[in-house]
Every structure is written in C-alpha cells, then in structure tokens.
Amino acid sequence: MLDGLTDDHAAAVARRFPDGETWLAGLEARLAEVVARWRLTPLRPLPGGIGGYLLDVRTADGRDAVLKLSPTGGAQGAANRLEAYALRRWAGDGAARMLGVDLAAGALLLERCRPGATLDTLGDEEMLEHGCGLARRLQRPADDEDLLILPRAAEEVAIRAQRFGGLMDALGHPFSPAREQEIGALHRALATGDGAPVACHGDLNPGNVLAHDGGHVAVDPLPVLADAAYDAVSLVWAKRSWLLAQPDRAEILRRRIAIASDVLDADAEHVRAWALVRLTGVLDERSEWGGYDTAPFVALAELL
Ligand SMILES: Nc1ncnc2c1ncn2[C@@H]1O[C@H](COP(=O)(O)OP(=O)(O)O)[C@@H](O)[C@H]1O
Ligand SMILES: [Mg+2]
C-alpha cells in the first residue's frame, strides 16, 4: 500500500470511481513516473478524503508544492480538465497557482499554500464572510472561452427537473411531502437559468479554501456557469455534523444564508433555493457511490 493511503480512503476511491480499482493498482507506478518526469522530491502524503492522492513535494528549483493525482476515466477526466481550466484562468489570483498539469496522467502540481489551514478553522460567521468574499473575487462574467468550455448549472437542473418524480421514487422519498413538492418547483424555477451567466468556482467547501500569505485562496474548483449564489451553497451546508448537533441549527443556517446573500449580493431566497436544489443533486450522485452518508443532507433539507 502506498504511503499515507489508508484502507478507508482506498475503499472510498474504489467505490466512487468506475476506474478506481485500476487506478489504485497503478498509482505507485504513476506517482514514480510523474515524480521523475517533473523532477520532484516527494515529502509527505496529505490526508486523503474521497478524492485522489495528494502529497507535499519540492520542485527541482526548491519550491514547496503539492502534487495531486486523480483518476482520469469518465466524469472525473472531465472534472480534471475543468479544474485545470479554472486554475489556469485565475493564474494564482485568489487561487493556488498551477505549476504543472498532465491531464493524461491525472497529475496537477500546485504551489503549496502556507500555512494552508482550511476555512473551517475560522468561526462560523467568519467562515461565511471570507468564503463568500473569495467566491466573489474568483467569479467573473462569462466570456467566450467560458461559454465554450464550462457546463451550465441550469442544464443539469433542467435534466433533473425532467426526471424529478422518478428520482424521488428511486431515492425512497427522502424528504417530507411538502418539502419534496417545494424542491420540485425550485428545480423548475432554476432550470430556466435566468440572468447573465457567471463563471463560478463551483465547489467552495471549506476544505477547498486555504489560508495563504495572510489571506485565503481556493483549490479544487469544479467550475460552472451559474449565478453568484451558486458558490454560497458549499459554505451554507458546511460542517454538517457540527451544525446538526447545535440546538440553534436552524438559526445558524439562516445566519449563514443572510451573510452569503449580503456578501454575494444575491437574494437570500435564491441562495436557499440553490442549496435545496444542489443538495438534491448530491443525493442523486452520491447515493450511487455506496457507503456515502447522505442522511445529513436530508436533515438539512428539512431545516432550510
Ligand atoms: N496547494 C495546496 N497547498 C496546501 N494544501 C493543499 C493544497 N492543495 C490541496 N491541499 C490540501 O489537500 C486537501 C485536498 O485537496 P483537494 O484538491 O481539495 O482534493 P480533493 O479532491 O480530495 O478534495 C485540501 O483540503 C488541503 O488540505
Ligand atoms: Mg477538495
């Protein structure tokens, strides 16, 4: 087993990615090949979650960097391309600078954030303020290249709106009847994609916002064309286990939405709508992974 790759992480990768098993089997060789070709010195692995394999490295010219290796098959290959696209466009402004990319190898080399603490080490309100502030800094009105390359969030919502009834059946009707009806209507409303498209980071969960040089920068984008409120969602539902254990959890959620709405200059109801719609997308996607606990998202849907 590769240094730092736990059994749990390996099992999660094998379940989640169609090519996960093959990728894990070839990971050690892939790592050795990339390290040699890019003349890197491997230092230590970073704690893994449900994604690829990351490790601290030093470059040949003595820079501290992070090497990220991801599976390359199917949807993940597309996600890798979009990640590199967004990082290239930001060029280190508000996001970690990309030092190298090899899409065929699923390899990404990033400048290392210092000290690199994730955004959830801040208090709740600061987490929302800084996270949404960064979202705003990273967002731009979509230009021709964005319109050509980035997926449209509204299209995904429209597809799910079409099969909403069947999806609810397949998931065993996780929401209360009134909430299910409301979420169905919100899908139809957001599927129209009204408004000028904005190129969004797409996955600003607190693990993707790192302390760097006295501020915060983003990593791990999954960019989409949406509207500004889209990026608030991963922060609104952040720290789910902690949040659900709080006696005033509904109030905390309202406060998070209010801050997001303020900082992103978006209507609070619109932020809430995106939270409910994206949460349904998570249930749709992740219930197929097996072993992924979707219950906190269901609980949040009733609180929102
Ligand atoms: N450039 C970086 N500098 C420092 N730490 C990083 C960097 N990139 C990633 N990390 C650490 O690795 C974690 C996972 O990286 P990420 O790219 O978000 O992968 P995943 O797809 O597994 O979420 C981050 O939450 C962060 O703690
Ligand atoms: Mg991440």
Side-chain angles (χ1 to χ4, degrees):
M1 180 74 77
L2 202 59
D3 193 20
L5 189 72
T6 63
D7 289 347
D8 280 355
H9 186 184
V13 166
R15 279 196 307 263
R16 174 179 167 186
F17 301 103
D19 61 340
E21 298 266 14
T22 331
W23 181 75
L24 285 166
L27 184 54
E28 202 161 344
R30 172 69 48 89
L31 177 63
E33 189 276 319
V34 172
V35 158
R37 187 153 45 87
W38 283 351
R39 298 194 299 132
L40 304 172
T41 308
L43 299 174
R44 69 199 78 76
L46 291 167
I50 54 172
Y53 181 76
L54 292 99
L55 77 163
D56 280 340
V57 297
R58 184 149 307 125
T59 64
D61 57 1
R63 289 215 247 181
D64 286 332
V66 166
L67 175 64
K68 178 176 182 178
L69 294 176
S70 304
T72 53
Q76 187 55 37
N80 296 344
R81 276 194 296 284
L82 291 171
E83 180 178 17
Y85 172 78
L87 291 169
R88 179 178 64 74
R89 291 289 311 255
W90 291 319
D93 186 5
R97 187 176 298 280
M98 184 166 69
L99 305 176
V101 60
D102 179 341
L103 291 173
L108 197 61
L109 188 65
L110 300 174
E111 95 182 284
R112 177 143 19 111
C113 300
R114 288 188 166 279
T118 53
L119 193 65
D120 48 3
T121 52
L122 299 182
D124 211 67
E125 302 203 346
E126 277 188 293
M127 176 176 82
L128 265 289
E129 276 160 20
H130 287 272
C132 291
L134 180 61
R136 192 140 198 198
R137 181 170 164 207
L138 292 171
Q139 291 174 350
R140 61 174 176 269
D143 62 19
D144 287 348
E145 197 184 10
D146 295 325
L147 291 171
L148 198 65
I149 303 244
L150 298 182
R152 287 165 171 72
E155 268 173 27
E156 193 198 313
V157 176
I159 292 168
R160 215 166 46 245
Q162 290 280 331
R163 58 184 191 86
F164 189 75
L167 174 64
M168 291 298 109
D169 287 345
L171 294 174
H173 296 275
F175 310 123
S176 63
R179 192 45 49 100
E180 178 179 313
Q181 207 179 18
E182 187 191 10
I183 294 176
L186 291 174
H187 271 78
R188 292 189 292 280
L190 290 184
T192 60
D194 287 345
V198 174
C200 293
H201 176 285
D203 186 14
L204 271 182
N205 75 67
N208 289 345
V209 182
L210 309 179
H212 185 53
D213 271 352
H216 285 95
V217 297
V219 295
D220 202 13
L222 189 57
V224 289
L225 298 175
D227 55 75
Y230 185 98
D231 270 334
V233 173
S234 311
L235 292 158
V236 166
W237 69 36
K239 293 169 70 177
R240 286 177 291 286
S241 322
W242 171 82
L243 176 64
L244 289 167
Q246 304 309 302
D248 56 343
R249 49 197 175 271
E251 181 50 35
I252 297 174
L253 267 177
R254 267 195 297 280
R255 183 84 196 117
R256 286 181 175 184
I257 290 177
I259 297 173
S261 144
D262 196 33
V263 177
L264 289 168
D265 195 17
D267 189 65
E269 269 310 309
H270 194 60
V271 174
R272 176 177 172 275
W274 267 120
L276 286 165
V277 165
R278 290 193 57 197
L279 174 158
T280 309
V282 169
L283 299 192
D284 186 11
E285 183 192 63
R286 300 194 185 176
S287 49
E288 278 171 23
W289 292 0
Y292 186 89
D293 184 16
T294 51
F297 287 100
V298 174
L300 276 177
E302 300 300 326
L303 281 173
L304 271 162

